[in-house]
């Protein structure tokens, strides 16, 4: 309960702080510094979403800041636009460029992406210098008209009030988005893109949203900055400024709202204190950055939160959910869920000169448990990757109830009703167990960005459903007691179970398990056996890739055998076990004697 | 027509000179990245260190060969220490933001210290290579300027030879292919990281000494060179030594032509625009290896 | 928020200048001149019984920081006046806030025309330094004197300073009935200007006027040398720092406009001031005064300001502003009679062009031209 109150209380505290601040201003210069702080904070909050949630590094925020500032200034000075419209225009223009910047993330990551953002920032700076007819070039744009709200002049305290109000708005919106399915999606995509795709998230879309948020706040900050100084020139928008924005986020604590505010506060006031040191200014700046990296890698607030979390460990307060509820969750009645027949026909895929699959076909009846086996390198994982959309086949179809989705991207496949687990567990390590499953449920949520930003009734309703569903699934796999643990701290066997819960959260009609028994103890395999049966009993088809013969014999209704990319047999387990072709595939020789169990 | 010819030759020669600078910087990035999958974002400052320390030594009356040697060794030590204390602690995490920011931070601190000691001025590093220009069909170039791309090519060839024919070179390659396997083979991976950063820094220091007679030494000389050198490394394919050298020389020549036929500000726009375009079409660089991720 | 116009300000002079970065010598230059003048005045009893002091803030040549420093100096430190610094771009950015707040600003170095001729009324931007409009005229005159072919080209840096000076120079040439033979620009940190050099050479120009700093000036002379082109070079004072060190013998004969020089033969008064500077800052030789014009300008600026405060009778911005127009003073650089003239917008500048001097690089030293071979007729 106290957890729930914390956020609104924090907002109230922030509001009080912002209102009280100007009364401590000794002179106009101090007030100016407060205003500068609010502007930087706005930029930092947006960048925080990009860096802290989506895990993408941008060293080009100064370019977006500049785009906002120049758009606003040019519209105000050349076309006489009003403050409000100039501000909106600046925000939109910068946001559009943010969407553009997101495009490279399809192809590149990490350092390469950072280089693209650096290049972008430098290009903007140089275009501003070069296009002097529009931007005034190196001389800049001066005599920007003072901001006014429909004729009411906004100077001194009034402008501060506007800035403070905007800051508050941005804080609320970014924080709420962070705690919604959008924020979770960003975290998921950054922690395991593969798994995120596997549960139906559109990674590119998520990243684009993050970039647009970061860019829009930077653009808004830029316009506000232009109206604060009434003069802008390319010197305010250099690579060093991009570094400074990034430092604000990192210093405060990437991913935390409070962190962004702290970082902005410190870096607004630091130059004031460093002014005294004159020659040591730059040095102290670098030293501070280095200290943050070494001593406080999670930033100031981030480190404090971690310490608090260690001291105030919260056990799980969840209770078990009834079976009837679980069934309702797994069968998404609202969406018209019904068991489906799965069929893969003539799948062929070539990698260079190697034909990994050659006209492979198989069928899984509704509610059937089907095992796919074969020696290593037979093409089992390839088949799974094709079915789930990670690979595109050269020929063939993959259908569920007749609809072919071969070649569709993973997130589309999931929406068609297929979910999977991975051979190497791909969990969202830093999210809690409960949150991992909630991410799986997300494709069934429909509230939009506005609802998330302003916590409408729909948001609360759907989030409650999501939580409830996740609790139900945790009960199903027996992880209720670990709901608040971070996923990466789970023991191996439980990680496997979590993956299954997460996959089931998407309400699939076909569940693909990629070697789920690998590395499990005998007892855990028995539990797995039960879980698979219960799943199938509800009408969800299960396709199981396995080596573990005992499990297959126990649980599978039918078995398909792959060898060198070709289906060599597909029948009941007992028959497959004695099929000479299968034995030859595994052992290389035709048997003289019936093979004993437990190969 | 002869004028056109002269301009073109001038741009090519000047382009090779500046391109050689970029190639040398990029080569340093290649050495670091291929071994440690991390770079010194302040690598440009190793050039500055080489040049500035040489001049400061000369001021103290140290003879030139000794000054040069001392500066290169100091750069090398800087690289090794940087790797040990600023990069290695962060190389384990998957996100690269850690070592990126620490190396940037160290770069800022180093520049500030040097500014205090050396002054904000640019100072000349005298060299016979810039005393008289040679004329090639009317275009002029200093012998020192041509020395730079030659040195870049030699460095690239030397690196290749080292990788094929020396134990330490092969160890570097092993670490770059698979550091865990290399470790199991008895290679001290941490030493190799240190070695690669030290080698890159020494190369940077030497490059700085070569370049200083032309561009003058100053505390801020490394910034733009470092940034562009990194862009060049990415364009060429940071995993390929010949790739980055070719990309560097090409980039320099393109810059000069843009400068000549359009304008100097356009040069930056075109240069960085090209960087983005190349990365979009060739995410691993023009000559780099594609990294395949198995699902 | 209007400034408290009637309040007494503090007896401090705030200077925003480059204390770090490549132009750090510019900040030092102002300190040398201003502090020695302040010492002299304080020893004589101060101004209106109070002792003056100089506060320097680093702007590293960045206009946004210069703008912040204006507010800091005026609103936080409440100094009686601001001294401008080395960079014209910073000065240009400071026009807005200075006139809005209404604090006297006296430039010591940056010569951008629009800094003082900014259309403000009242205009709080004053300057005891050169003005690029007059510098351009001076350079044009000198160039045409020296040019045999009558063809003069210009190489200017792509910054607020260079871009601002270009129209001044074009107008100056047109006033003499000439067009500029070639107009070329370059960026900071450019290492090679061969493209521009080729175009200038092909235009037939035998004299080149520059608005550049030492670092780029060095590359300019080397680029000319590389293509075998040997024009006479006459530059604005950006190349008054260490061009001689950087370019070596190639700098010989490069002329530089200054308002003052400490080199060569000094008159007794200059010598006296130099000795005080030498003692206070432990310098050895006048050649260590890089940008010596700024030092002399600052020295004179302090005295002019002090006299204005005395005449105003109080440390009040508006009164001091009005009093500045009545100050007469016999300075190091010039005879100010009066220093400023309110009826003439061109006369927010105290140093008239007749006081501009031509110095020339000769074996690593920047000497008054008449004391070198270049000053003799025919060179």
């Amino acid at each position: 309960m106290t957890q729930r109150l914390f956020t609104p209380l924090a907002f109230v505290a922030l509001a009080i702080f912002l209102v009280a601040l100007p009364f401590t201003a000794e002179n106009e210069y101090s007030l100016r510094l407060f205003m500068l702080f609010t502007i930087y904070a706005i930029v930092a909050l947006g960048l925080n979403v990009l860096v802290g949630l989506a895990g993408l590094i941008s060293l080009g925020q100064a370019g977006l800041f500049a785009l906002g500032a120049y758009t606003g200034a040019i519209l105000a000075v050349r076309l006489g636009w009003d403050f409000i419209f100039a501000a909106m225009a600046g925000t939109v223009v910068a946001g559009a460029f943010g969407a553009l910047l997101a495009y490279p993330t399809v192809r590149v990551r990490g350092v390469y992406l950072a280089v693209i953002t650096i290049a972008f920032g430098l290009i903007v700076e140089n275009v501003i210098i070069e296009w002097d007819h529009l931007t005034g070039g190196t001389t800049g744009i001066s005599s920007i008209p003072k901001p006014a709200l429909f004729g009411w002049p906004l100077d001194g305290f009034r402008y501060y009030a506007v800035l403070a109000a905007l800051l508050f708005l941005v804080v609320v919106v970014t924080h709420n988005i962070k705690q919604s399915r959008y924020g979770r999606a960003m975290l998921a995509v950054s922690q395991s893109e593969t798994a995120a795709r596997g549960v139906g998230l559109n990674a590119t879309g998520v990243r684009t949203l993050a970039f647009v948020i970061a860019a829009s706040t930077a653009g808004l900050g830029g316009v506000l900055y232009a109206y604060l100084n009434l003069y802008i020139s390319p010197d305010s928008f250099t690579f060093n400024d991009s570094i400074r924005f990034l430092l604000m986020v990192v210093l405060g604590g990437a991913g935390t709202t409070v962190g962004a505010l702290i970082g902005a506060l410190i870096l607004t006031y630091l130059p004031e204190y460093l002014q005294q040191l004159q020659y040591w200014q730059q040095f102290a700046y670098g030293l501070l950055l280095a200290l943050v990296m070494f001593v406080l890698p999670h930033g100031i607030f981030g480190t404090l939160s971690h310490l608090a979390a260690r001291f105030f460990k919260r056990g799980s307060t969840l209770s078990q959910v009834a079976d009837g509820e679980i069934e309702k969750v797994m069968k998404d009645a609202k969406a018209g869920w019904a068991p489906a027949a799965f069929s893969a026909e003539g799948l062929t895929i070539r990698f260079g000169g190697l034909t990994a699959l050659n006209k492979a076909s198989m069928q899984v009846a509704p509610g059937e448990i089907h095992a796919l086996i074969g020696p290593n390198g037979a093409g089992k994982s390839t088949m799974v990757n094709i079915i789930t959309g990670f690979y595109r086949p050269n020929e063939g179809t993959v259908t569920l109830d007749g609809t072919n989705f071969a070649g569709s991207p993973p997130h589309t496949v999931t929406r068609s009703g297929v979910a999977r687990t991975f051979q190497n567990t791909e969990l969202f390590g830093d999210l809690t167990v409960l949150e991992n499953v909630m991410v799986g449920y997300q494709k069934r949520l429909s509230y939009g960005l506005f609802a998330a930003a302003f916590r409408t009734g729909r948001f609360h309703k759907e989030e409650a459903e999501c939580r409830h569903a996740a609790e139900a699934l945790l009960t199903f796999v027996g992880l209720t007691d670990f709901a608040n643990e971070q996923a990466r701290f789970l023991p191996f066997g439980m990680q496997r179970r979590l993956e299954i819960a997460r996959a089931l959260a998407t309400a699939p009609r076909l569940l693909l398990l990629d070697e789920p028994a690998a590395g499990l103890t005998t007892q855990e395999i028995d539990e797995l056996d039960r879980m698979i049966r219960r799943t199938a009993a509800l009408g969800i088809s299960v396709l199981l890739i396995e080596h573990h013969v005992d499990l297959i014999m126990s649980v599978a209704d039918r078995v398909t055998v792959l060898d060198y990319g070709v289906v060599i047999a597909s029948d009941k387990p007992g028959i497959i076990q004695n099929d000479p072709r299968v034995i030859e595939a595994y052992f290389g020789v035709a048997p003289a004697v019936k093979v004993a169990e437990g190969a | 027509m002869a004028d056109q010819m002269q301009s073109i030759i001038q741009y090519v020669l000047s382009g090779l000179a500046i391109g050689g600078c970029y190639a040398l910087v990029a080569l340093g990035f290649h050495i670091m990245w291929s071994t440690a999958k991390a770079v010194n974002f302040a690598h440009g400052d190793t050039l500055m260190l080489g040049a500035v320390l040489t001049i400061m030594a000369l001021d103290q009356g140290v003879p030139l060969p000794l000054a040069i040697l001392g500066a290169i060794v100091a750069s090398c030590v800087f690289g090794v220490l940087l790797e040990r204390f600023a990069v290695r602690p962060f190389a384990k995490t998957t996100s690269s933001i850690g070592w990126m920011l620490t190396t940037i931070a160290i770069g800022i601190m180093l520049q500030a210290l040097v500014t205090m000691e050396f002054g904000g001025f640019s100072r000349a590093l005298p060299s016979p290579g810039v005393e008289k220009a040679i004329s090639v069909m009317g275009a002029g170039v200093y012998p020192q300027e041509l020395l730079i791309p030659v040195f870049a090519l030699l460095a690239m060839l030397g690196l290749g030879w080292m990788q094929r024919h020396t134990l330490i070179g092969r160890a570097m390659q092993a670490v770059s292919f698979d550091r865990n396997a290399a470790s199991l083979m008895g290679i001290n991976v941490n030493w190799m990281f240190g070695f690669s950063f030290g080698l890159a820094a020494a190369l940077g220091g030497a490059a700085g000494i070569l370049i200083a007679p032309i561009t003058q030494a100053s505390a801020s000389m490394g910034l733009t060179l470092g940034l562009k050198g990194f862009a060049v490394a990415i364009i060429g394919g940071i995993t390929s030594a010949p790739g980055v050298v070719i990309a560097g020389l090409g980039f320099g020549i393109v810059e000069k032509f843009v400068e000549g036929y359009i304008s100097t500000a356009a040069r930056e726009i075109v240069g960085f625009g090209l960087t983005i375009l190349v990365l979009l079409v060739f995410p691993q660089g023009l000559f780099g290896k594609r990294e395949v991720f198995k699902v | 928020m209007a400034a408290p116009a009637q309040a007494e300000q503090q007896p401090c002079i705030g200077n925003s200048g480059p204390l770090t970065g490549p132009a750090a010598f510019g900040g030092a230059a102002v300190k040398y001149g201003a502090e020695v003048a302040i010492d002299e005045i304080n020893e004589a009893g101060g101004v209106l019984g109070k002792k003056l002091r100089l506060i320097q803030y680093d702007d590293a040549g960045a206009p946004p920081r210069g703008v912040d420093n204006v507010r800091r100096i005026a609103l936080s430190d409440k100094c009686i006046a601001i001294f401008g610094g080395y960079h014209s771009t910073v000065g240009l950015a400071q026009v807005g806030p200075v006139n809005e707040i209404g604090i006297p600003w006296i430039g010591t170095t940056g010569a951008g025309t629009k800094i003082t001729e900014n259309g403000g009324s009242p205009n709080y931007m004053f300057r005891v330094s050169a003005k690029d409009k007059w510098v351009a005229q001076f350079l044009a005159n000198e160039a045409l004197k020296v040019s045999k072919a009558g063809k003069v080209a210009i190489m200017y840096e792509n910054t607020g300073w260079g871009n601002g000076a270009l129209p001044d120079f074009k107008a100056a040439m047109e006033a003499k009935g000439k067009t500029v033979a070639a107009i070329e620009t370059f960026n900071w940190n450019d290492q090679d200007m061969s493209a521009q050099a080729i175009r200038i050479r092909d235009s037939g120009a035998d004299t080149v006027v520059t608005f550049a700093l030492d670092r780029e000036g060095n590359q300019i002379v080397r680029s000319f040398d590389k293509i075998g082109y040997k024009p006479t070079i006459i530059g604005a004072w950006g190349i008054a720092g260490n061009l001689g060190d950087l370019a070596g013998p190639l700098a010989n004969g490069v002329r530089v406009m200054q308002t003052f020089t400490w080199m060569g033969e000094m008159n007794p008064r200059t010598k006296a001031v130099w000795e005080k500077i030498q003692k206070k800052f432990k310098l050895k030789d006048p050649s260590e005064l890089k940008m010596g014009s700024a030092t002399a300008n600052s020295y004179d600026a302090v005295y002019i300001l002090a006299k204005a405060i005395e005449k105003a009778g109080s440390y009040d911005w508006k009164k001091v502003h009005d009093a500045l127009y009545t100050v007469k003073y016999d300075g190091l650089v010039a005879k100010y009679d009066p220093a400023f003239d309110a009826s003439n917008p061109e006369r927010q500048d105290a140093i008239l062009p007749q006081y501009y001097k031509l110095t020339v690089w000769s074996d690593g030293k920047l000497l008054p031209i008449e004391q070198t071979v270049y000053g003799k007729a025919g060179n």
Side-chain angles (χ1 to χ4, degrees), chain B residues 23 56 80 134 164 216 261:
Chain B
M56 282 168 73
V80 172
I134 39 183
R164 280 191 301 277
Q216 274 63 58
Y261 288 114

Side-chain angles (χ1 to χ4, degrees), chain A residues 27-29 31-32 129 138-139 146 155 157 225 228-231 233 235-236 271-272 275 278-279 281, chain C residues 1 19-20 56-58 62-65 67-69 71-72 75-76 78 89 92-93 100 158-160 163:
Chain A
N27 52 49
E28 196 184 333
Y29 186 67
L31 187 64
R32 240 187 84 75
I129 293 175
T138 49
T139 328
K146 290 200 190 161
D155 31 83
F157 284 107
Y225 180 81
L228 177 65
N229 283 339
L230 305 180
Y231 162 78
S233 75
D235 306 278
S236 305
E272 298 303 304
Q275 270 285 331
Q278 291 186 354
Y279 293 100
Q281 262 179 54
Chain C
M1 224 198 220
L19 300 178
T20 57
Q56 279 192 304
Y57 286 112
D58 188 12
R65 291 173 74 162
V67 165
D68 280 347
N69 287 341
R71 296 206 167 89
R72 190 180 277 125
L75 302 171
S76 188
K78 302 194 183 11
T89 39
L92 285 166
E100 187 197 322
N158 185 17
T159 63
N163 285 324

Side-chain angles (χ1 to χ4, degrees), chain C residues 305-374:
Chain C
L305 175 67
K307 287 191 188 303
I309 301 174
E310 296 259 349
K311 286 207 166 191
S314 79
Y315 280 88
D316 176 278
W317 288 337
K318 179 102 185 40
K319 293 191 183 156
V320 170
H321 164 266
D322 296 342
L324 277 166
Y325 293 110
T326 65
V327 169
K328 293 193 200 317
Y329 170 61
D330 207 349
L332 272 184
V333 178
K335 199 167 149 70
Y336 306 100
D337 187 6
F340 307 105
D341 183 346
S343 65
N344 181 352
E346 281 196 344
R347 285 286 277 116
Q348 296 285 120
D349 276 87
I351 300 178
L352 296 172
Q354 70 210 66
Y355 293 101
Y356 291 177
K357 303 173 172 47
L358 204 55
T359 55
V360 69
W361 281 103
S362 179
D363 293 330
K365 288 197 188 339
L366 193 55
L367 298 171
I369 195 163
E370 55 278 1
Q371 296 180 22
T372 68
V373 298
Y374 304 100

Side-chain angles (χ1 to χ4, degrees), chain A residues 573-586:
Chain A
I575 300 176
I576 291 293
Q577 200 182 18
N578 294 313
D579 186 326
R581 293 171 299 171
V582 175
I583 294 168
E584 182 175 340
Y586 270 103

Side-chain angles (χ1 to χ4, degrees), chain B residues 80 82-92 190-191 193-194:
Chain B
V80 172
L82 184 87
E83 187 279 323
R84 176 66 189 84
F85 294 111
V87 176
R88 202 180 300 174
F90 300 93
K92 289 174 282 214
N190 286 333
W191 276 15
F193 286 169

